[in-house]
Amino acid sequence: MSARTATTRLGIAVAAVATLAATATPALAADSASGANNNPPVYKGRVTAKSGLLLRDAPTRGSRVIRTEPYHAIVPIFCKTGGDDVGGNNLWYLLTDGTWAWGSAKYIDNIGPAPRWC
């Protein structure tokens, strides 16, 4: 395993632990969208890829596809990081809907503020 892959997987693990801690109780989960109680906010985006968006296990074009999201789907975003360039955009978003998958920011329009850095 390359150092970059190991670092990416470590980042995913840290993000998963942070999200579990932020959603430990219903009251904390309700506050996470507003950033109250020092919980990281959950950002939203809309898929713009006409044929659907491939979601991967790392922020690289060659990583394993976990699943897809359909065109116009609204997705929860935990954070962003740099990765492989896709059509002139090297940002990738970590989606937080249970599978912890990476999607290219090239094909996700932000709804509201841009996600924080991972």
Side-chain angles (χ1 to χ4, degrees), residues 24-36:
T25 66
L28 289 177
D31 289 339
S32 67
S34 67

Side-chain angles (χ1 to χ4, degrees), residues 2 8 16 18 20 29 36 41-43 47 52-53 63 66 73 77 81 86 93-94 108 112 114-115:
S2 72
T8 299
L20 287 174
V42 175
Y43 303 92
V47 174
L53 179 62
S63 60
I66 297 174
I77 303 168
T81 193
V86 177
Y93 292 155
L94 179 58
I108 302 174

Side-chain angles (χ1 to χ4, degrees), residues 15-99:
V17 169
T19 298
L20 287 174
T23 60
T25 66
L28 289 177
D31 289 339
S32 67
S34 67
N37 295 326
N38 295 324
N39 295 323
V42 175
Y43 303 92
K44 300 245 183 239
R46 183 178 308 274
V47 174
T48 61
K50 299 277 186 189
S51 59
L53 179 62
L54 298 177
L55 300 177
R56 300 177 179 277
D57 66 354
T60 61
R61 295 175 68 163
S63 60
R64 184 174 60 94
V65 174
I66 297 174
R67 61 186 178 82
T68 62
E69 279 291 338
Y71 177 65
H72 270 289
I74 295 177
V75 293
I77 303 168
F78 184 73
C79 60
K80 66 183 172 187
T81 193
D84 283 356
D85 186 274
V86 177
N89 187 334
N90 74 334
L91 294 179
W92 288 71
Y93 292 155
L94 179 58
L95 306 185
T96 62
D97 57 355
T99 56

